[in-house]
Amino acid sequence: MDINLTGAAGRIQASYHKSNVAGAPMAVIFHDIPQNGGNMNEQVAYTLFYSFVQKGFNVIRFNFRGIGNTQGTFENGEAELADASTVVDWIQEQNEDSSEFWLAGVGFGAWVAMQILMRRIEITGFIAVSPQLKKYDFSFFNPVPCDGLLIESEAEHLVLENIIKSFVNNVNKQKTAKLDCEIIKDANSKYNRKLKELFTIITNYLGKKLP
């Protein structure tokens, strides 16, 4: 279902799937920066969305400001966190009986998801696809309040192996949450021809984590 929300910069374009199960869990999907082709319909962001739909979630994906029909100008930072908060508030209002609340994102969207979950005690899980650990500052990510899954392509892993390993180890040393890590073999940064495998990894992980 296509919907429009009202954010700080005006209209926020979104697509919402409502589960037909009472008390179903909920999730918000965050896309990558526009310079990388990021938008709510980009193939990795949509795979995240579809994975949660298939596991019975109420789930919403949306365009950050300046993308698609969302008003405003993309600013690559705090402004997009404001957009994210608007969407998070909206889905919570629609699903007050949900006990599970997940966030998931790709690239810049993963950074946004992880920023939001540090500010919201109600978040119960997260999935970060290619979070660009070298590009963005993740020093805020401590202590991590809930379990999550980090997914990287083999192409990115070959370049960032030590950074990824250090990040995962640092999170797991905190003992407040467990961060699993999956590397998709032969995958490039866009996960071309690997979306089915990405979908399987996500849905399997959700199946293990959901009550």
Side-chain angles (χ1 to χ4, degrees):
M1 176 174 65
D2 294 331
I3 60 173
N4 290 311
L5 307 181
T6 302
R11 181 181 59 247
I12 296 176
Q13 179 189 17
S15 182
Y16 176 57
H17 169 80
K18 175 66 176 176
S19 171
N20 58 11
V21 177
M26 56 185 166
V28 181
I29 311 301
F30 307 96
H31 67 74
D32 201 359
I33 58 174
Q35 292 89 335
N36 289 342
N39 62 77
M40 72 177 190
N41 295 318
E42 181 273 329
Q43 63 180 10
V44 178
Y46 184 80
T47 299
L48 281 167
F49 177 84
Y50 186 65
S51 299
F52 281 93
V53 168
Q54 289 300 299
K55 297 306 291 185
F57 278 70
N58 302 295
V59 55
I60 188 170
R61 69 188 195 275
F62 71 100
N63 279 327
F64 287 116
R65 59 185 62 192
I67 313 299
N69 291 326
T70 297
Q71 294 176 318
T73 302
F74 188 81
E75 298 181 27
N76 200 18
E78 289 294 326
E80 288 69 38
L81 287 171
D83 296 340
S85 293
T86 295
V87 178
V88 167
D89 288 341
W90 183 87
I91 197 172
Q92 283 186 290
E93 291 170 1
Q94 305 302 309
N95 301 281
E96 295 180 347
D97 55 350
S98 292
S99 59
E100 290 279 323
F101 192 4
W102 287 63
L103 305 179
V106 53
F108 169 76
W111 178 82
V112 171
M114 294 155 92
Q115 285 270 3
I116 294 293
L117 75 87
M118 295 300 290
R119 307 175 186 201
R120 303 268 185 154
I121 61 172
E122 65 270 28
I123 307 302
T124 53
F126 70 95
I127 295 176
V129 179
S130 301
Q132 303 295 306
L133 297 172
K134 188 175 181 180
K135 179 177 182 180
Y136 297 109
D137 180 9
F138 285 88
S139 59
F140 65 87
F141 208 53
N142 184 0
V144 182
C146 60
D147 291 352
L149 172 64
L150 172 65
I151 302 173
E152 288 281 3
S153 66
E154 185 177 44
E156 292 165 308
H157 184 250
L158 290 173
V159 177
L160 303 175
E161 180 177 4
N162 291 334
I163 294 174
I164 294 168
K165 184 181 296 183
S166 176
F167 181 80
V168 173
N169 287 342
N170 286 339
V171 171
N172 288 330
K173 283 178 183 177
Q174 296 172 23
K175 300 189 185 305
T176 56
K178 184 176 188 303
L179 179 60
D180 290 346
C181 182
E182 293 278 356
I183 309 299
I184 299 185
K185 188 176 180 181
D186 298 326
N188 60 22
S189 61
K190 296 294 186 180
Y191 297 86
N192 294 327
R193 298 183 297 280
K194 290 294 179 177
L195 296 176
K196 185 175 180 180
E197 187 172 348
L198 178 64
F199 169 83
T200 299
I201 288 172
I202 295 168
T203 52
N204 286 346
Y205 181 77
L206 292 174
K208 290 189 299 184
K209 287 295 184 179
L210 292 174

